[in-house]
Amino acid sequence: MMLTFAQGAIAPFWVGTRMSKPKPFVAPRVIVREQFPDGKDVVTVVAGSLRPYNQAHAPAALYDLETERVKAFPLHKLVGVDADVWTFRTYEQGMPVEQIIGQSYVFRPWWSQSAWELSRDSSRVWTKKALPDDGSHEHCEFTYVHIPNDDSTMSYESDGIWITSEAYERFIIGDEYHCRE
Ligand SMILES: [Zn+2]
């Protein structure tokens, strides 16, 4: 069977490996143990293995079990681990309207390992520039969106890695998910 992936979509982890019979990807499932407000933030404690993810656990979110697409709650930063019990902080967020404690969800990180490392790299120098219209084709490391080849659209580049102005403002300057502290 041929599998194709839409441009810009994230391929499953086994694409590109030499395994002849790839195991299908099974998203980790967790149970919400605790959830409580803390100032302007919310603290969420979930239990369960997060394999196959072994780093870049956050930012992430909990999604419904059936479609794995409906977001139940975002988890911005991992702040504690004890065996397979994981504590996350979500910034400037109210409690969910319906209580999620005791419920099971699919756990899914939002960023690749490389995007996560990029967000934490405070020594990296970013240069504001336009991607030239010379056949180069780049995607934002954080959001996967296409970087326009357009003299009037400014993006940011560092050692050949491109991100959009919005991603730069949100994740480098604004540190929206508190990766850099
Ligand atoms: Zn593209």
Side-chain angles (χ1 to χ4, degrees), residues 64-128:
D64 75 299
L65 294 180
E66 198 172 332
T67 70
E68 305 187 1
R69 292 274 150 203
V70 182
K71 187 164 68 183
F73 202 77
L75 307 168
H76 289 167
K77 186 185 176 88
L78 178 64
V79 293
V81 189
D82 182 8
D84 270 341
V85 178
W86 311 80
T87 303
F88 294 91
R89 178 172 286 270
T90 307
Y91 297 93
E92 313 227 347
Q93 177 87 28
M95 291 284 281
V97 178
E98 288 185 35
Q99 211 199 83
I100 64 170
I101 298 168
Q103 306 284 327
S104 293
Y105 295 98
V106 161
F107 174 91
R108 193 166 73 238
W110 291 346
W111 287 349
S112 66
Q113 179 72 23
S114 57
W116 183 72
E117 285 169 7
L118 207 58
S119 75
R120 296 165 59 83
D121 187 353
S122 54
S123 64
R124 187 174 275 276
V125 176
W126 293 95
T127 307
K128 188 177 189 176

Side-chain angles (χ1 to χ4, degrees), residues 12-76:
F13 72 96
W14 43 262
V15 169
T17 69
R18 279 171 293 162
M19 294 165 70
S20 54
K21 226 179 173 190
K23 284 183 195 156
F25 178 80
V26 180
R29 293 182 170 200
V30 295
I31 294 176
V32 179
R33 280 268 182 85
E34 280 181 69
Q35 189 171 54
F36 53 89
D38 183 23
K40 289 184 196 168
D41 309 334
V42 169
V43 175
T44 306
V45 181
V46 305
S49 166
L50 300 187
R51 279 191 298 273
Y53 302 112
N54 54 26
Q55 262 190 307
H57 286 120
L62 303 173
Y63 296 87
D64 75 299
L65 294 180
E66 198 172 332
T67 70
E68 305 187 1
R69 292 274 150 203
V70 182
K71 187 164 68 183
F73 202 77
L75 307 168
H76 289 167

Side-chain angles (χ1 to χ4, degrees), residues 134-152:
D134 60 358
S136 45
H137 191 131
E138 300 290 346
H139 288 247
C140 177
E141 191 73 18
F142 289 110
T143 63
Y144 312 107
V145 303
H146 183 78
I147 301 283
N149 300 82
D150 172 357
D151 282 349
S152 63

